[in-house]
Amino acid sequence: MEVTELLAVLMTALLVIAAATLVGPRLRVAAPLLLVAIGVGASFLPAFAAVEIDPELILAGVLPPLLYSSAVSMPAMNFRREFGAISGLSVVLVVASALVLGVFFMLVLPDLGFAWGVALGAVISPTDAVATSIVRQTSVSKRVVAMLDGESLLNDATALVLLRTAIVATAASFSVWGAVGTFAYSVVVALVIGLVVGAANLALRRRVTDSTVNTVISFAVPFVASLPASAVGASGLVAAVVAGLVTGVRAPRELSPQNRLSDSQNWRTVELVLEGAVFLTMGLQIRSIVVDVQEDHAGVAPALLIAVGALVLTIVVRAAYVAPLLRVLSARARHAEAMQPRVQSMHEQIRTEGAVGPFAEMNRRGRSGPSQLAAEAGPEGVAVPAPAEVASPSPSPRLGSGGSRTPSPRASRTRSRRTSSSRRTSSRTPSQRTLDQFTRRVTQGLADIEYFLRQPLGWRDGTAVVWAGMRGAVTVAAAQTLPEDTPQRPVLVLIAFAVAALSLLVQGGTVGPLLKRLSPPVDEVELHERNESERTRIFELMRASGDAVPAPEAPVLERSKEAFDASVAHTLAMLAAQRSALLDARDNGLFDADVLADALANLDASEIAIVLRGRLAD
């Protein structure tokens, strides 16, 4: 294809992506479905008859920036709160789905074998971050969106490691512990690389004042994280996600509003183009894959039937996992509700009397530390930790003669040492840093409990989690990484493509109407009052933090340049104090993530406007 033709194709693709994004909502059809259909239609044109997309271009070139961008924009507090559910959906469910599908493919495809069946199951198992963009356009619960977003950010690593392990198992003996070790290595190394890259990214970019240059640097960050991780055998996608999470949490404190606004606008454009390109290329490749199956003298119809069965099986397995998950989350929510009065009392005591009393009380109760109260306080990371310096309960005494309880000498010595340690701890004055950490964790724990009680999960939410688990770009790209000597490779690739296409068509085409039908009636008045209450509390916090900033001394000439500069400096200092207070409240989970994001955006807009006025005055 000549340069002129290539440019024409790129221009047409951009216009098609823009048109599908605008027209899709009017037709009540998700834009990704329109783009897949357009791609299928275009594949019959001679110019696109033999389109082949290198799967590494998707896995290494498209997914890292998409996942990085999603991680940056994801509310970190919601991610932490739902991490227990997210980790189960990302690891346990993917492994279970791959194994069940492996048995299914082994039975329906002659001479395939269990290992190759698991490899194809690993390809089909992960949900897709691009596909879940359909869900965000519905009225689904914010907790469900957080679970689905978090799952799609992390399950790719599980699937790709499992795929690699299954392929190795076809040529050598399989070791369960070896697979676990490989997965642990892949995640841990990626985690370290992502943390380092995220921190280095912020350290560099806070020194770059030019917003355009700052955004260009941000475009390189997901690749700076993913490529080294992949080079050492770790998960490049997890590294990109971790770098994105670090950037999303710390950027409001490290980067200027101008730089963050530039990032947000440009990355939204990048997301739109990359997501649209993924679905267009997916549609373009379907025809060539069908032709490959026909040339291989394998039946297309049987492959499509197997794909239907595989899709049904993934939904069944997902439902079988989500149902008990919801029961566990509900039980933890009830336990959190029982813990709420105690944590509330502790929080009120800290507010009125300070943290020293509650801290000492926790010591006297002999809690075993943060993990104990984290387990007691409720679901998914609701933690109200006790101090680290806590005496553990003494061991149970043993029965002596006549039924009397006589402690053993060893137990007596242990108790004596622990009692002595407890006395030393009780008499030790905690540092201010320890008290601040304790106060923050109590505040955070109470906010977490209120979050889970305010948004309980029911069968409607479970249905949304099950039905919204769509397949997409990861499945399509991973299928094409199967080795050339894979048994019945064209059929396996067609099955994977068909599962992804059917998932988008059936689940993506019906998830909106289904969730609208299942959603309970919303009390608009109550919702409005709740949001207004949140905004009122935010405004009160902003007013208090702004009033704490000392006013400038009144200059002699009120209309002088010095007076103007002093006023601008004072206003910027007030905005900085208000932003710091809101970010502290964000980290503690005190406000709704969306309402808080709006307040922070308003602060950024105010600061940008003031800076521009200052430049005009200069």
Side-chain angles (χ1 to χ4, degrees), residues 24 62 71 74 97 123 129 147 156 162 190 250 292 304 308 327 359 395 403 441 456 477 484 513 521 529 558 580:
V62 174
M74 183 174 187
S97 299
V123 167
M147 287 183 187
D156 302 331
L162 191 59
R250 295 298 305 173
D292 289 342
L304 295 179
V308 172
R327 286 196 291 271
F359 185 92
R441 295 299 296 272
E484 292 296 330
E529 291 177 351
E558 295 184 357
S580 178

Side-chain angles (χ1 to χ4, degrees), residues 229-398:
S230 300
V232 297
S235 172
L237 300 182
V238 170
V241 167
V242 173
L245 290 173
V246 172
T247 302
V249 172
R250 295 298 305 173
R253 298 186 188 271
E254 304 282 349
L255 304 181
S256 68
Q258 295 90 336
N259 290 343
R260 286 185 281 108
L261 179 62
S262 175
D263 270 11
S264 175
Q265 292 175 335
N266 285 285
W267 271 104
R268 279 202 297 267
T269 303
V270 170
E271 281 187 29
L272 178 64
V273 172
L274 292 182
E275 288 179 1
V278 165
F279 288 109
L280 270 177
T281 55
M282 179 178 170
L284 283 173
Q285 294 177 88
I286 290 179
R287 181 171 178 270
S288 61
I289 291 172
V290 171
V291 171
D292 289 342
V293 172
Q294 292 174 335
E295 291 178 351
D296 200 43
H297 303 291
V300 174
L304 295 179
L305 288 176
I306 292 173
V308 172
L311 177 60
V312 171
L313 199 55
T314 59
I315 296 173
V316 171
V317 173
R318 189 174 180 86
Y321 179 82
V322 170
L325 173 64
L326 288 181
R327 286 196 291 271
V328 171
L329 295 179
S330 298
R332 290 181 175 178
R334 290 192 297 271
H335 190 60
E337 186 174 12
M339 290 286 297
Q340 187 179 25
R342 173 186 165 195
V343 181
Q344 180 70 53
S345 174
M346 187 185 303
H347 184 260
E348 290 296 329
Q349 188 178 359
I350 291 174
R351 289 180 57 188
T352 57
E353 304 174 10
V356 176
F359 185 92
E361 177 65 22
M362 296 299 294
N363 266 335
R364 284 194 296 272
R365 289 184 179 182
R367 292 292 179 186
S368 60
S371 59
Q372 173 69 20
L373 272 179
E376 289 185 3
E380 308 309 322
V382 178
V384 187
E389 306 90 349
V390 175
S392 301
S394 59
S396 301
R398 60 183 181 180

Side-chain angles (χ1 to χ4, degrees), residues 495-517:
I495 291 172
F497 265 73
V499 169
L502 288 171
S503 175
L504 289 172
L505 178 63
V506 177
Q507 294 174 265
T510 60
V511 67
L514 175 65
L515 296 182
K516 185 177 181 180
R517 191 180 186 88

Side-chain angles (χ1 to χ4, degrees), residues 111 114 222 259 570:
D111 302 325
F114 179 66
N259 290 343
H570 176 251

Side-chain angles (χ1 to χ4, degrees), residues 541-560:
L541 177 63
M542 292 172 62
R543 185 181 301 111
S545 57
D547 292 343
V549 178
E553 296 181 2
V556 177
L557 299 176
E558 295 184 357
R559 292 183 177 273
S560 67

